[in-house]
């Protein structure tokens, strides 16, 4: 059998993650197995373990996929030495839309219900621990004109931007925000941040 092309691999990966999200919604993290995902995606168990290692590896990959656009934009802004405030204005709506979207909410709900903490660790490893340092790097030039270091500035900005919206979405007391609401929240966070620094 000839090896899969990149487009075939991408399509297979998409089918696997779509199946994993569906099972996660139905059975939770504990009730979702690699075998069940493989069957639902019509993929071999061998492929599953070869590509992802184990269930936590699969879900870490899903978290990274979800955060990929934000990470790519942050890395590009760093490479281009874009003005940090301009970069935040452009990237924050994309980041917040992802963070409060259905896939992220589903992962957060499942992580909260997982007594092992494995999915929570996957969320940290594949998401927060990759994205927050990039925001901190972006803040480096701002730190030179502020009394705070780049890490503190990043935490402050992300606190203003996100606040308690993730927990509100995960607990169902907040609907998925509209594009207008996302823009308004990002604008408020950035203006407040600029005032603080």
């Amino acid at each position: 059998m000839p090896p899969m092309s990149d487009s075939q691999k991408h399509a297979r990966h998409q089918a696997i993650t779509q199946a994993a999200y569906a099972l996660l919604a139905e059975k939770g993290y504990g009730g979702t197995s690699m075998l069940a995902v493989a069957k639902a995606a019509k993929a071999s168990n061998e492929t599953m373990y070869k590509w992802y290692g184990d269930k936590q590896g699969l879900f870490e990959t899903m978290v990274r996929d979800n955060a990929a656009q934000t990470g790519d934009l942050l890395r590009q802004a760093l490479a281009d030495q874009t003005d940090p405030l301009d970069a935040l204005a452009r990237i924050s709506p994309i980041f917040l839309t992802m963070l409060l979207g259905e896939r992220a909410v589903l992962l957060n709900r499942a992580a909260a219900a997982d007594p092992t903490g494995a999915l929570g660790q996957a969320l940290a490893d594949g998401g927060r621990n990759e994205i927050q340092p990039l925001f901190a790097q972006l803040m480096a030039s701002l730190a030179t004109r502020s009394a705070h270091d780049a890490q503190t500035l990043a935490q402050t900005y992300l606190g203003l931007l996100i606040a308690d919206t993730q927990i509100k979405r995960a607990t169902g007391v907040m609907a998925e925000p509209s594009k207008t609401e996302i823009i308004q929240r990002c604008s408020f966070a950035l203006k407040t941040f600029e005032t603080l620094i």
Side-chain angles (χ1 to χ4, degrees), residues 79-161:
D80 295 344
Q81 297 184 325
T82 305
D83 176 83
L85 296 176
D86 289 344
L88 289 175
R90 188 166 44 88
I91 297 167
S92 296
I94 293 161
F95 175 59
L96 196 60
T97 298
M98 176 277 295
L99 213 57
L100 302 181
E102 285 304 317
R103 287 190 162 189
V105 169
L106 184 56
L107 288 166
N108 282 323
R109 285 176 178 161
D114 172 29
T116 70
L119 184 52
Q121 189 60 53
L123 278 170
D125 292 342
R128 186 181 312 111
N129 295 348
E130 289 201 6
I131 297 299
Q132 189 163 319
L134 293 172
F135 274 105
Q137 287 178 50
L138 192 65
M139 302 291 185
S141 64
L142 294 177
T144 61
R145 41 186 152 133
S146 167
H148 302 289
D149 60 62
Q151 184 66 34
T152 302
L153 290 175
Q155 289 173 344
T156 301
Y157 177 71
L158 293 173
L160 289 167
L161 181 66

